[in-house]
Amino acid sequence: MTIDAKRLRHDLETLASFGADGDGGVSRPSFSIADGEARAWLRARCDEAGLSYHEDVAGNIFMRLDGTDPDAAAVWTGSHLDSVPNGGRLDGALGVIAGLEVVRSLAERGGSLTRPVEAVSFADEEGGYLGFLGSKAVAPGLSFDDIRGAVGRDGRRLISVMTEAGFAPERIHEAQIAPASVHAFVEMHIEQGVVLEDAGVDVGVVSSIVGVGRCAIEFKGRPDHAGTTPMHLRRDAMRGAAALLTQVGDLPGRVGAPNAVITCGRLDLHPDAYNIVPGRVWLGFDIRDQDRSAIEAIEAALIDLAQDAARPHDLEVMHHHESLTDPTPLDERIAKITREAADEVGASWRDMPSGAGHDAQVVAPVLPTGMVFVPSVDGRSHSPLEHTAWEDLATGTSVLYGVVEHLATTGLP
Amino acid sequence: MTIDAKRLRHDLETLASFGADGDGGVSRPSFSIADGEARAWLRARCDEAGLSYHEDVAGNIFMRLDGTDPDAAAVWTGSHLDSVPNGGRLDGALGVIAGLEVVRSLAERGGSLTRPVEAVSFADEEGGYLGFLGSKAVAPGLSFDDIRGAVGRDGRRLISVMTEAGFAPERIHEAQIAPASVHAFVEMHIEQGVVLEDAGVDVGVVSSIVGVGRCAIEFKGRPDHAGTTPMHLRRDAMRGAAALLTQVGDLPGRVGAPNAVITCGRLDLHPDAYNIVPGRVWLGFDIRDQDRSAIEAIEAALIDLAQDAARPHDLEVMHHHESLTDPTPLDERIAKITREAADEVGASWRDMPSGAGHDAQVVAPVLPTGMVFVPSVDGRSHSPLEHTAWEDLATGTSVLYGVVEHLATTGLP
């Protein structure tokens, strides 16, 4: 094996100790004390391995092995160090440690790579303060005005915590890179779903990152007294909401987008009292697909269904379109190199979209970008239960090694 | 007409100015500054009319016209002065002012009543601090231990606000009355529903106050990532909740209690995020009927339905029984006197249960108790939109006059 599976495991376990929760989870937001400990530990790993360690003004980390051509664009591989509150040990961390393991293994192998290779960690991917902060700062770039208003889950200002952690928010524009300075970026990540596990496949070759539509449907009825209003005289907003929610699962199939997903993950009702018939119910929907028009079709069909659901209960319906981020296609050349690298080590693979957002989607419009998924046991993520079999992590990292080596030598066609 | 409709209206309008909100509503919790202003104004009305004004240690008000027999038990009529936050001008206030108008009119008429008559206002009916505080203190009685822990919507201790308002919470047991000292209690109130309005009837003769069951149903699934979990692999707690909620409206009919009502007025979902499939949905139900066994049957059927709703989505169901207050029958002798008094003034009437709770249900186990309802326009209550036509208020108060006069002279059979 080209990489050291034992060292990979040891490093993932050590990293999980920075920000470890009492209950087996990890809470390591960017710019926290735990984040600082993880950075110091990574720097020591680089010293040990003879790699250079660099942090930019935004808090991104670059762990570098020089190539033979001093003018060549770098090959990047990585993800993010930060976790959600009480998250797992792999989301983000895997991509950083697998990247470090790949760069370290390439350094140990000796021989010559044309291009420099850098294991990268992007700051604040999870949105403790801003979301995708580090990757946005790198490409397409951020200005101080973009970040000065950001306040985190902890109620503190991003610019205060960045400054205290030793970074330079007022110079965040300096983190932006010249696109020509990076040859390609490959992010390895856990799938956070059950597609690979269900199919018994080792590696996912990510074709695109889905678009995300957000919208809300609100039902308005009349907030009557729950004791004095006979059932047949009610305009109960909850009845409309319930009728709609029983049909939402069929929407992807109905618009001919069977792989699309739609979720009602938020609900608000008023006045939220035992003794008052709900006068208003607000439902928040998340719709995802690889195809923007499918997201739009589902949102349109949702509105129609809501109106049908409202009619028998004499309710008003309001629709609020909130946002629609476009699907992001990834680089097919990198996907092809990834399939070949998987075949090389005897790993099974399948092409698949990513249903979750990643730093890869932020930099993809600027840099040739690919992603490699490994299976998630039971699909668990953003949870202490997040897990991937150690063999799967080693296999995935071997595939990543092949991809990075190819990019650093042969390069993109 | 036996009562002065113009004075009744004027007094209701004046009372509504104590605690008037900017937006047409009334916010007058017991023991507030506005409550104190209302009390001072009532005292002045009693002085004017030659009635005695008395407050007990609990903050209850008694506005009294003596009878000819100094040993006779008193006839009480009244309700409560306090309102919910941003409530209307009639809930509670009507019963107090109509009671005052009746007592005042009886005083003006001259002639002799055997029994003393008192217009009563019970403190804190709406639960600003405790709920039914005043009526509970009177009958069945409260001890200091019952109230010392009570904290209000305003975050303040009941015993502090009572003391500041000049009452004596540490002596609350002294408010308890000897049952023999009160001949009967009649409460006039707005219906807070649409039954009288829909039927075009002037007056409701309340037969009983419904029992109230409270329970919760909780669905537990799995909080998966909304982007990475295909629709068919989800254990979405919301799907079970929605399936249940579409069927709840049929439950009263299904258990043979067509007049029962069931309401899901509260809902909580976790983790309440756009991008996470709901792992847990908690539903709070309120079930009311005149018959305790109907409430129990609906709760049992609800649990069965919930289990059916959970099965197709592989969810767990938990049921939490919270409380069941018994239905309270009111005194049929008073109901009969009320029907006769309505006929006397040419008012149409119908027998009906009360779907809402009232001071009447608290004292009914101890004192012979009746209630008279007047129509609520559009059923609105606990809202600035609370309204009853002035003619309906005058008609209802005339009926109340007849009832009180009968009780104070002939008395209960």
Side-chain angles (χ1 to χ4, degrees):
Chain A
M1 194 169 262
T2 48
I3 56 113
D4 183 340
K6 211 166 138 187
R7 184 170 58 186
L8 176 74
R9 174 171 180 166
H10 180 263
D11 281 359
L12 280 166
E13 288 176 335
T14 305
L15 179 57
S17 70
F18 305 115
D21 286 331
D23 62 353
V26 175
S27 293
R28 190 174 54 235
S30 283
F31 313 119
S32 63
I33 304 290
D35 178 55
E37 291 167 348
R39 288 166 186 271
W41 172 80
L42 276 178
R43 181 188 288 268
R45 297 290 72 66
C46 288
D47 291 347
E48 236 175 47
L51 309 177
S52 69
Y53 178 94
H54 169 66
E55 292 176 339
D56 70 7
V57 291
N60 296 316
I61 301 169
F62 303 89
M63 300 175 278
R64 176 178 173 109
L65 171 66
D66 281 328
T68 53
D69 178 354
D71 297 326
V75 174
W76 280 4
T77 181
S79 189
H80 58 94
L81 272 187
D82 64 312
S83 79
V84 294
N86 197 225
R89 37 175 72 187
L90 295 174
D91 181 354
L94 170 62
V96 175
I97 296 300
L100 171 63
E101 181 54 33
V102 164
V103 176
R104 199 159 43 180
S105 299
L106 286 168
E108 286 165 358
R109 191 199 58 169
S112 50
L113 302 171
T114 315
R115 295 181 180 78
V117 174
E118 302 188 3
V120 182
S121 172
F122 292 116
D124 193 21
E125 192 266 356
E126 295 287 7
Y129 297 92
L130 191 92
F132 302 119
L133 171 72
S135 47
K136 282 180 174 170
V138 158
L142 288 173
S143 72
F144 185 50
D145 278 347
D146 293 330
I147 66 166
R148 67 194 310 168
V151 175
R153 288 198 188 97
D154 58 2
R156 302 202 56 210
R157 287 185 181 279
L158 169 62
I159 58 174
S160 305
V161 296
M162 279 182 83
T163 304
E164 284 174 27
F167 302 103
E170 69 288 354
R171 295 192 287 125
I172 190 135
H173 59 279
E174 294 178 14
Q176 189 183 355
I177 53 140
S181 68
V182 178
H183 183 65
F185 171 58
V186 192
E187 179 169 6
M188 181 167 158
H189 206 281
I190 53 169
E191 181 199 332
Q192 306 177 279
V194 294
V195 171
L196 293 175
E197 183 181 65
D198 266 27
V201 166
D202 297 327
V203 157
V205 180
V206 181
S207 51
S208 68
I209 296 172
V210 297
V212 181
R214 295 266 166 93
C215 70
I217 298 283
E218 201 172 345
F219 292 93
K220 255 194 171 164
R222 218 176 59 174
D224 283 309
H225 193 296
T228 59
T229 314
M231 298 303 282
H232 67 284
L233 294 175
R234 297 178 176 204
R235 295 175 56 206
D236 183 343
M238 190 77 98
R239 292 189 193 174
L244 175 61
L245 289 172
T246 55
Q247 297 173 77
V248 158
D250 303 329
L251 276 176
R254 194 190 282 211
V255 305
N259 295 319
V261 289
I262 174 167
T263 307
C264 177
R266 301 197 55 205
L267 187 151
D268 226 36
L269 84 166
H270 286 266
D272 195 19
Y274 273 107
N275 62 349
I276 306 183
V277 175
R280 197 157 66 76
V281 175
W282 177 100
L283 305 171
F285 290 93
D286 176 296
I287 308 169
R288 303 189 186 208
D289 195 61
Q290 294 181 75
D291 177 358
R292 181 188 171 102
S293 66
I295 298 171
E296 290 169 335
I298 289 173
E299 188 167 339
L302 182 69
I303 299 168
D304 289 345
L305 269 189
Q307 276 154 352
D308 293 346
R311 214 164 287 121
H313 308 294
D314 193 17
L315 306 173
E316 283 173 68
V317 175
M318 274 149 299
H319 163 255
H320 311 274
H321 176 77
E322 292 182 2
S323 61
L324 175 47
T325 17
D326 271 313
T328 306
L330 298 186
D331 195 291
E332 169 52 27
R333 297 168 300 173
I334 298 177
K336 184 162 176 283
I337 293 166
T338 306
R339 290 178 207 116
E340 287 164 0
D343 290 339
E344 189 82 21
V345 299
S348 57
W349 56 266
R350 68 179 282 172
D351 291 333
M352 63 184 296
S354 169
H358 296 290
D359 287 309
Q361 81 197 52
V362 175
V363 300
V366 177
L367 304 177
T369 298
M371 282 196 85
V372 183
F373 276 171
V374 292
S376 290
V377 171
D378 219 15
R380 308 279 71 201
S381 187
H382 285 196
S383 151
L385 299 175
E386 195 174 83
H387 188 58
T388 299
W390 293 109
E391 314 81 68
D392 288 345
L393 293 176
T395 302
T397 307
S398 295
V399 174
L400 183 66
Y401 179 96
V403 176
V404 172
E405 188 193 29
H406 184 101
L407 289 168
T409 49
T410 312
L412 291 172
Chain B
M1 194 170 262
T2 48
I3 56 113
D4 183 339
K6 212 166 138 186
R7 183 170 58 186
L8 176 74
R9 174 173 180 165
H10 180 263
D11 280 359
L12 281 167
E13 289 176 334
T14 306
L15 180 56
S17 71
F18 304 115
D21 286 332
D23 61 352
V26 176
S27 293
R28 190 174 55 233
S30 282
F31 313 120
S32 62
I33 303 289
D35 178 56
E37 291 168 348
R39 289 166 186 271
W41 171 81
L42 276 177
R43 181 187 289 266
R45 298 288 74 67
C46 288
D47 290 349
E48 235 175 50
L51 309 178
S52 69
Y53 178 95
H54 168 67
E55 292 176 338
D56 70 8
V57 291
N60 296 316
I61 301 169
F62 303 89
M63 298 177 278
R64 178 180 173 106
L65 172 66
D66 282 327
T68 54
D69 178 354
D71 298 325
V75 174
W76 281 3
T77 182
S79 189
H80 59 95
L81 272 188
D82 64 313
S83 79
V84 294
N86 196 225
R89 37 175 71 187
L90 295 174
D91 179 357
L94 170 62
V96 175
I97 297 299
L100 170 64
E101 180 55 34
V102 164
V103 176
R104 199 159 44 180
S105 299
L106 287 166
E108 285 166 356
R109 191 199 58 173
S112 49
L113 302 171
T114 316
R115 296 182 179 78
V117 175
E118 302 190 3
V120 182
S121 171
F122 292 117
D124 192 20
E125 192 265 356
E126 295 287 7
Y129 298 94
L130 192 93
F132 302 120
L133 171 73
S135 48
K136 282 178 174 171
V138 159
L142 288 173
S143 71
F144 186 50
D145 278 346
D146 293 328
I147 66 166
R148 66 193 312 167
V151 175
R153 288 196 190 99
D154 59 0
R156 302 202 56 210
R157 288 185 180 280
L158 170 61
I159 59 174
S160 305
V161 297
M162 281 184 81
T163 304
E164 284 174 28
F167 302 103
E170 69 289 354
R171 294 192 287 124
I172 190 131
H173 59 277
E174 293 178 15
Q176 190 182 353
I177 53 140
S181 68
V182 178
H183 184 66
F185 171 58
V186 192
E187 180 169 6
M188 180 166 158
H189 206 281
I190 53 169
E191 181 200 333
Q192 306 177 277
V194 294
V195 171
L196 293 174
E197 184 182 63
D198 266 27
V201 166
D202 297 327
V203 158
V205 180
V206 181
S207 51
S208 69
I209 295 173
V210 296
V212 180
R214 294 266 167 94
C215 71
I217 298 284
E218 200 172 344
F219 291 93
K220 256 194 171 164
R222 218 175 57 174
D224 284 307
H225 192 296
T228 59
T229 314
M231 299 302 283
H232 67 284
L233 294 174
R234 298 180 173 202
R235 295 175 56 207
D236 183 343
M238 190 78 99
R239 292 190 192 173
L244 174 61
L245 289 172
T246 55
Q247 297 174 77
V248 159
D250 303 329
L251 276 175
R254 194 190 284 210
V255 305
N259 296 319
V261 288
I262 174 167
T263 306
C264 177
R266 300 197 56 205
L267 186 151
D268 227 33
L269 84 166
H270 285 265
D272 196 19
Y274 273 107
N275 62 347
I276 306 183
V277 175
R280 196 158 68 75
V281 175
W282 177 99
L283 305 171
F285 290 93
D286 177 295
I287 308 169
R288 303 189 186 209
D289 195 63
Q290 293 181 76
D291 177 358
R292 180 189 171 102
S293 66
I295 297 172
E296 291 169 333
I298 289 174
E299 187 167 340
L302 182 68
I303 299 168
D304 290 344
L305 269 190
Q307 276 154 351
D308 293 345
R311 216 164 287 121
H313 308 293
D314 192 18
L315 306 173
E316 283 174 68
V317 175
M318 273 149 299
H319 163 254
H320 312 274
H321 176 77
E322 292 182 1
S323 61
L324 176 49
T325 18
D326 270 313
T328 306
L330 298 186
D331 195 291
E332 169 51 27
R333 297 169 298 174
I334 298 177
K336 183 162 179 284
I337 293 167
T338 307
R339 290 178 207 114
E340 289 164 359
D343 289 340
E344 190 81 21
V345 298
S348 57
W349 55 266
R350 68 180 283 173
D351 291 335
M352 63 184 297
S354 169
H358 296 288
D359 286 310
Q361 81 197 53
V362 175
V363 302
V366 177
L367 305 177
T369 298
M371 281 197 85
V372 183
F373 276 169
V374 291
S376 290
V377 171
D378 217 15
R380 308 281 71 201
S381 187
H382 285 196
S383 152
L385 299 175
E386 195 174 84
H387 188 60
T388 299
W390 294 110
E391 315 80 69
D392 288 345
L393 293 176
T395 303
T397 307
S398 296
V399 174
L400 182 68
Y401 179 98
V403 175
V404 172
E405 187 192 29
H406 184 101
L407 289 167
T409 50
T410 314
L412 290 172

